[in-house]
Amino acid sequence: MKDKTLTSIDILRKAKERSGLSQEVLRQSLRALLGAISEVMDNGNNVALDNFGSFELRTVKEHTVTPPPPNNTPVVVPEHQAVRFRPYKNLLIYHMKY
């Protein structure tokens, strides 16, 4: 089975089929939701979406990486923040609930 990456437009089409709402309303809702998640995480907080998963802000320590040849000069990656998504343990059956 070949993996297919769905874009936000594909997801909006599927949501439209399930909800009957217009694609424009769904697009505005998605943008508002993602904007709210981003804003909350910018303030240093984690986000948990019931029965879906959680987004956690983690600090990645400074480390050195060596790219493959011919540019194999070690590069120091400074300490930075990274987002980690942890899916709900039953995410695969989420669609059956809703």
Side-chain angles (χ1 to χ4, degrees), residues 82-93:
V83 176
R84 176 163 183 204
F85 175 70
R86 293 185 141 193
Y88 175 63
K89 63 183 173 182
N90 293 325
L91 182 61
L92 296 177
I93 61 170

Side-chain angles (χ1 to χ4, degrees), residues 52-53 55 62 64 67 72 76 81-82 87:
F52 186 73
F55 297 89
E62 180 179 294
T64 304
N72 55 354
V76 175
Q81 297 288 318

